[in-house]
Amino acid sequence: MAGNSFGQVFRLTTFGESHGAAIGGIVDGCPAGLHLDTEAVQRELDRRRPGQSDLSTPRKESDTVEILSGVFENVTTGHPIAFIIRNADQRSKDYDKLKDVYRPSHADYVHEAKYGLRDHRGGGRSSARETASRVAGGAIARQLLKAALGVEINGYVSAIAEAVLEEPVESLDFSLPENELRCPHPATAARMRTLVEEARDSGETLGGVVSCVVKGIPAGLGEPVFDKLHADLGKAMLSINAVKGFEIGSGFAAAKMRGSEHNDAFEIKDGKPATSTNHSGGVQGGISNGMNINFGVAFKPVASIKKAQNTVNRQGEAVNVEIGGRHDPCVLPRAVPIVEAMAALVLADHYLRNRTVKL
Amino acid sequence: MAGNSFGQVFRLTTFGESHGAAIGGIVDGCPAGLHLDTEAVQRELDRRRPGQSDLSTPRKESDTVEILSGVFENVTTGHPIAFIIRNADQRSKDYDKLKDVYRPSHADYVHEAKYGLRDHRGGGRSSARETASRVAGGAIARQLLKAALGVEINGYVSAIAEAVLEEPVESLDFSLPENELRCPHPATAARMRTLVEEARDSGETLGGVVSCVVKGIPAGLGEPVFDKLHADLGKAMLSINAVKGFEIGSGFAAAKMRGSEHNDAFEIKDGKPATSTNHSGGVQGGISNGMNINFGVAFKPVASIKKAQNTVNRQGEAVNVEIGGRHDPCVLPRAVPIVEAMAALVLADHYLRNRTVKL
Amino acid sequence: MAGNSFGQVFRLTTFGESHGAAIGGIVDGCPAGLHLDTEAVQRELDRRRPGQSDLSTPRKESDTVEILSGVFENVTTGHPIAFIIRNADQRSKDYDKLKDVYRPSHADYVHEAKYGLRDHRGGGRSSARETASRVAGGAIARQLLKAALGVEINGYVSAIAEAVLEEPVESLDFSLPENELRCPHPATAARMRTLVEEARDSGETLGGVVSCVVKGIPAGLGEPVFDKLHADLGKAMLSINAVKGFEIGSGFAAAKMRGSEHNDAFEIKDGKPATSTNHSGGVQGGISNGMNINFGVAFKPVASIKKAQNTVNRQGEAVNVEIGGRHDPCVLPRAVPIVEAMAALVLADHYLRNRTVKL
Amino acid sequence: MAGNSFGQVFRLTTFGESHGAAIGGIVDGCPAGLHLDTEAVQRELDRRRPGQSDLSTPRKESDTVEILSGVFENVTTGHPIAFIIRNADQRSKDYDKLKDVYRPSHADYVHEAKYGLRDHRGGGRSSARETASRVAGGAIARQLLKAALGVEINGYVSAIAEAVLEEPVESLDFSLPENELRCPHPATAARMRTLVEEARDSGETLGGVVSCVVKGIPAGLGEPVFDKLHADLGKAMLSINAVKGFEIGSGFAAAKMRGSEHNDAFEIKDGKPATSTNHSGGVQGGISNGMNINFGVAFKPVASIKKAQNTVNRQGEAVNVEIGGRHDPCVLPRAVPIVEAMAALVLADHYLRNRTVKL
């Protein structure tokens, strides 16, 4: 109801505010018998962590995860896996001057409208810091999918402002080490870097697109009506801070296509039905068809710019605000592990849900 | 789990196959004391019904809804409101020749992959006919929102293939009678008509975009983490047949914007905070901010074209299929009431959920 | 939220009032591939139906069930199975004089306190007529359990007022035809009959106990913390009209026992662990242990007696009420199929839930 | 699904094993604006804690709770309230010799049957230690009920083996300090003490009954069909370790009563309907009627006796086991705060659910 849980069988519940004692979560419903690599969980958190390069906030958070339950002798027991990440390097005082101000395009105003009060320190529960818990939970889902089905999930930055990756996804090589833009095409990454540096130096922020391709999902995951696989993926992505749009397969481009052009013809490959094109993005009628799942996620430029802005305060007065704190000019590279984590959560959940559909 | 329910407090569960005895649903959680206008429910179904104009399928279905429970002396009692719509004018035999064939970009193959069998008549549970139940349930939600908050929901066709409505939403007049394209801009509607006629006559299908604006939602609806208001709207829309993308406010265009350009400055209007622009689309941090809620939904061209196509059958043989039946060249106009219904379901649910957040 | 659904994977949602157009429900989550015997569903309804013998209400309701969806060529498709039972033989006018009166120990007053209004005809949603929908849904669950696991569920009346069945459950023969008391011990049934006849003739009502034994549940069903198997069974039974108590295995008698007496020693039977006694009632730590599941359900005497009673009305006045209508002197025999149905719903749900717990 | 959450709006999810790093939980859905007394939360934990008197286990656990989120300046924010209790004084080695043994009437065997493995240290997830998390979560629910409605919840031990409290609940004085038996009748408490001392000295364990009375619940809480208030209370109680039965109001005694005797006549008290008797136990048709809510919970004698027992091991061999560790001869006094906590969770949840039922 309060919306801090995600998933039905494989279910993550997160907690924690940006400047509280800790953030963390509980994964309930992870099957027993999974050998859990806790270092791999930490590695995913390190990919999301602030301060990884000169392009991101200099805020330092080690984001060290501690697993408290549900794992015995490195194997999951079927019981809830709780984890916490202690907060550190908080500069709550940076936010004192903002406690009565509604920052433009932040959640300050709506929190007060909803709850009658708010924890004004660092965005509180609406801080993107919450997504670290998703990354930890998603890392467990990912290991389940890998162990059970051999699934690979590869997110990447496909656009930052005007720097757009034009190459088709099939041509991208995800076996190479990630660059700091998380764009698997060096020339485009270089263009992205230039834009981000400009934004950083001018106190500006940039939007963009994270794309994701998932390989190894068998046909049959997803439910045919409300819980279509891409509907749940869409919700997952739209629940990430700063996301404004989601598309699967052909996406918005489909609006301009004809049926004869868009339909994916079936053929037999390796002894089973496959499609010769993949406008469907791996999902038909809400159910995976065994092809790669492709989707894109649009991020707005984040709201914390380093420029004076007009706004109002709690007292209803017009004020001018300059947001301090230490923020990213472009969150897209750090958003990649979040997108992957949310994809893993959706897919792990549907993988388990699908175990109950046949006699 | 099986995904035939939508919503947490205001909850619709639907049932029924295209060629079974009936479709219908149960609305659970509608508050007691709402004067229910059952004719208004029927009117929404009439807007979705096939055979409304020369641009849609000649298939005739009266789609008469019968309400079975939960209403006493025209007022809701707080108990489940069940309704059924008997199926009629079924030509199940049209589908007999398709029972072993996997139609391209239909759900035939994935149903068999998932369940081990399928009801091949008319798409079964994956038929868009299921959305009639959503329209009926959504019509109840809409009346709740109107009675409780004065909410107005206006969907419209903003693009069919190359015919794109360019006018800003603020300039559209929703008080005029709907035209058969459901595009509130006559010149654009005329261009759309031409394209649909061409498609109809050539056995082709067209995609497009349905946009929607919701007025009257107060600040505070939506949950800050997973159940963000636009995440639930996105899931709702992506669960509609043939939808490939969703965006709120600035949407995918945000990916190319700068933060200083995208941020919505607050000002005081009518004594309370409002924003001077609305790139946020009425939702910030997942919570409504009192501005209009704007979103767009991309539809692919539907898969039932009247041309021969290559595909495979259950036996793994390559076959050529020509789909009979009676189908729409472009479903966008009929999709408008479905989009509105799903929006109403999401908003009614969050309206009720929001009653529990303060002491 | 509004509590008209039961179960998580195998999920029944019911609707309908005693004197509305119809009652019915939707079973969502029944696996595909189950051969569904619809006559067996009807037979269960016939066991619950009023008017079966001279000991029950003369009210006639044929309670004919119509299945609307989810079954194709007599096999479940994995989609929602909706069913309706039209109401008939309503004498709503019998209730007109009661529309302002709060009948003692009925739900009249609490409905108004909760909803601000009520459908006063025949108890509305709180009528035991609602349980017919449970019996229909439970009959489907029962067939699933039989097909998948060979489960047998046998409920029986073990006490009516002072007539108490003393024989141990192991000695009862459930292969014999049911008598009209549904007590599988003729001598006790005869004593029960005498008491029920006396009650019928004096306008009185009687309470009692329904017991139930379930054979064939494998070890492993149920969850170890909140959703213990017997906790879900308990909730299921306590949700039946007129139930005041539930016990599993040793039940309240356990309160007087010593640990050394109560513990069920393990031994090896047929090559696997079994217990030599069964004080646990087939459930240990909330999880089935493979032994028979035994539980008991206490029913109060129903509130509709044929005697003048003191009460108050909506206007706050003291009034004397004599309840008309046609009611059972003792509902216990008709409660047996309801208890069995609710048991089947719980067990089918946990059977499916249990499919997700191991890698 | 995995059953580690309880409640729908006010929702507690618990985690943790007896001998892991920590136990704890997340309360989601607690309304914003509640002044939270964290010392009162700790006091409830202290009531449950082992080692409070010479009648309970000498095992020492300080059970210090740390709240990690959801509270800002001592007031709840509407966001998840996470808390942890670090484990201490573990003697995991005590359990090494038991790792292949299925202790009689413990959950060892069923865990292995269900999950294929188990954390054998101290009962793992099935240890009653898990209930500390319930007590912490319930203490928050209790403060909500007190602040919003003035509710008082009083649990007490009404029977230990043959020592049964015969006084009616109305005569008990809950304003006195608790004695170590938590029986508010000194003479009965003395008889209980004698029995517990005997059990302790002979390595035996005792069952009993915890009763509970709740004052201040207004009419209208609870849902009329599956989620009846007493059905949810029953599930809550039956989910507590060692519980074998639940009854509300007249309970199993109702089975022997006549309707004319059992019906609670309405009269007007303080200007509103009240009942002159309370066989209903404060709940009619599943909905609270404004009277005191009374229920009883039967506990079996716990399984950890200090006597040699026959059982089998994982290898299928008959073995003799003597359980070491430090256990309570009678858990009833320590179960009182658990019963109260579970009652508070149910009632807080239904209090919030009930906010959505009227227009």
Side-chain angles (χ1 to χ4, degrees), chain C residues 214-273:
Chain C
V214 185
K215 299 176 184 169
I217 295 292
L221 303 199
E223 300 294 328
V225 181
F226 295 112
D227 295 357
K228 288 182 164 78
L229 192 61
H230 60 288
D232 279 349
L233 284 168
K235 171 170 174 164
M237 301 306 148
L238 289 156
S239 78
I240 299 171
N241 306 45
V243 171
K244 303 302 287 181
F246 171 83
E247 59 182 7
I248 180 131
S250 53
F252 274 85
K256 302 213 169 160
M257 293 169 77
R258 266 64 185 168
S260 61
E261 173 188 11
H262 192 278
N263 280 359
D264 293 320
F266 279 108
E267 58 190 33
I268 299 293
K269 278 186 198 158
D270 302 328
K272 57 185 179 181

Side-chain angles (χ1 to χ4, degrees), chain D residues 313-329:
Chain D
N313 65 15
R314 181 184 283 164
Q315 290 76 32
E317 302 159 336
V319 294
N320 194 276
V321 64
E322 197 154 347
I323 297 171
R326 295 153 295 165
H327 303 285
D328 285 290

Side-chain angles (χ1 to χ4, degrees), chain D residues 90-107:
Chain D
Q90 300 160 349
R91 296 198 195 162
S92 301
K93 271 176 294 187
D94 284 3
Y95 291 90
D96 276 358
K97 62 172 182 171
L98 295 173
K99 77 186 165 75
D100 286 333
V101 175
Y102 300 144
R103 290 169 296 166
S105 289
H106 273 88

Side-chain angles (χ1 to χ4, degrees), chain D residues 249-250 264 275-283 289 291-294:
Chain D
S250 53
D264 294 319
T275 63
S276 50
T277 51
N278 188 15
H279 295 112
S280 300
V283 182
N289 66 356
M291 307 303 291
N292 288 350
I293 296 175
N294 295 307

Side-chain angles (χ1 to χ4, degrees), chain C residues 1 114 204 260 353-354, chain D residues 1 114 204 260 353-354:
Chain C
M1 275 282 304
K114 185 174 188 69
E204 194 54 89
S260 61
R353 288 173 69 171
N354 197 46
Chain D
M1 277 285 301
K114 184 173 189 69
E204 195 54 88
S260 60
R353 289 173 69 170
N354 196 46

Side-chain angles (χ1 to χ4, degrees), chain A residues 1 105 114 162 204-205 220 222 227-228 232 235 239 244 246 248 258-260 263-264 309 353-354, chain B residues 1 105 114 162 204-205 220 222 227-228 232 235 239 244 246 248 258-260 263-264 309 353-354:
Chain A
M1 276 283 302
S105 289
K114 186 175 188 70
E162 296 78 19
E204 195 54 90
T205 58
D227 295 356
K228 289 183 163 79
D232 278 350
K235 170 168 175 166
S239 78
K244 304 299 289 182
F246 171 83
I248 179 129
R258 267 63 186 167
S260 61
N263 280 0
D264 294 320
Q309 298 179 83
R353 288 172 69 171
N354 196 47
Chain B
M1 274 285 302
S105 290
K114 186 174 188 69
E162 297 79 20
E204 195 53 90
T205 57
D227 294 357
K228 288 183 165 78
D232 279 348
K235 169 166 175 168
S239 78
K244 302 301 288 182
F246 171 83
I248 181 134
R258 267 62 187 170
S260 61
N263 279 359
D264 294 320
Q309 299 179 83
R353 288 172 68 170
N354 196 47

Side-chain angles (χ1 to χ4, degrees), chain C residues 140-160:
Chain C
I140 299 171
R142 192 170 192 150
Q143 292 188 39
L144 171 63
L145 290 166
K146 180 77 177 172
L149 301 170
V151 168
E152 295 289 345
I153 302 173
N154 286 296
Y156 57 100
V157 178
S158 59
I160 290 180

Side-chain angles (χ1 to χ4, degrees), chain C residues 52-73:
Chain C
Q52 296 174 60
S53 83
D54 62 325
L55 298 180
S56 94
T57 165
R59 204 170 63 243
K60 287 280 185 308
E61 282 162 351
S62 67
D63 283 359
T64 306
V65 68
E66 181 190 8
I67 290 178
L68 300 174
S69 65
V71 180
F72 179 56
E73 296 172 349

